[in-house]
């Protein structure tokens, strides 16, 4: 089985998580044969290492990590690859891949422009 982990920073504000949970639910509906969950760098649970273990407990042998970040800051360039390298060392039989951050995807960028135009 495959898993998709929607990886974000996290927040102290509980209201912030509503959008992440909605994204998770939409992804799960679109990919019924994939286990989909959220994971957070800090300020939220589960952490990426905990979410990886949860995915493995669900039978995932291949895990895709989708960075839900709009810019390629330090967290995406340095922190996430370091975390994934540690996880690969801890779970050598697990296929663990980092996907393109959402902010770099042309479709996401187009959707943001469309939203702006409709909100104008």
């Amino acid at each position: 089985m495959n898993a998709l982990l929607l990886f974000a920073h996290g927040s102290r504000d509980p209201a912030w998580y509503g959008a992440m949970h909605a994204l998770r639910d939409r992804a799960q509906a679109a990919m019924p044969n994939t286990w989909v969950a959220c994971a957070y760098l800090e300020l939220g649970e589960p952490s990426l290492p905990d979410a990886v273990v949860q995915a493995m407990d669900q039978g995932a042998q291949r895990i895709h990590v989708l960075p839900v970040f709009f810019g390629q800051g330090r967290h995406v360039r340095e922190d996430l690859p370091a975390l994934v390298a540690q996880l690969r060392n801890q779970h050598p039989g697990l296929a663990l891949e980092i996907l393109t951050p959402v902010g770099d995807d042309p479709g996401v960028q187009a959707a943001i422009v469309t939203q702006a135009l409709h909100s104008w």
Side-chain angles (χ1 to χ4, degrees):
M1 179 202 348
N2 291 328
L4 173 65
L5 299 179
L6 305 170
F7 180 70
H9 187 273
S11 175
R12 288 183 181 89
D13 183 350
W16 178 87
Y17 292 91
M20 284 299 294
H21 295 159
L23 180 59
R24 177 202 58 210
D25 294 347
R26 183 176 284 226
Q28 185 65 75
M31 297 180 279
N33 296 322
T34 299
W35 189 77
V36 180
C38 298
Y40 304 100
L41 179 65
E42 54 190 31
L43 306 173
E45 293 294 330
S47 65
L48 184 59
D50 289 345
V52 165
V53 169
Q54 291 170 2
M56 292 172 61
D57 288 347
Q58 294 295 317
Q61 298 173 341
R62 181 177 194 89
I63 300 174
H64 296 89
V65 179
L66 178 61
V68 184
F69 286 80
F70 286 99
Q72 290 264 355
R74 183 177 53 86
H75 292 319
V76 172
R77 286 191 328 269
E78 298 173 17
D79 298 337
L80 178 56
L83 271 170
V84 167
Q86 289 174 348
L87 289 163
R88 285 180 178 141
N89 286 335
Q90 293 171 355
H91 308 285
L94 180 66
L96 191 58
E97 179 182 352
I98 302 172
L99 302 177
T100 301
V102 296
D104 288 346
D105 183 270
V108 171
Q109 294 170 0
I112 292 169
V113 170
T114 298
Q115 171 64 27
L117 290 171
H118 287 121
S119 299
W120 196 270

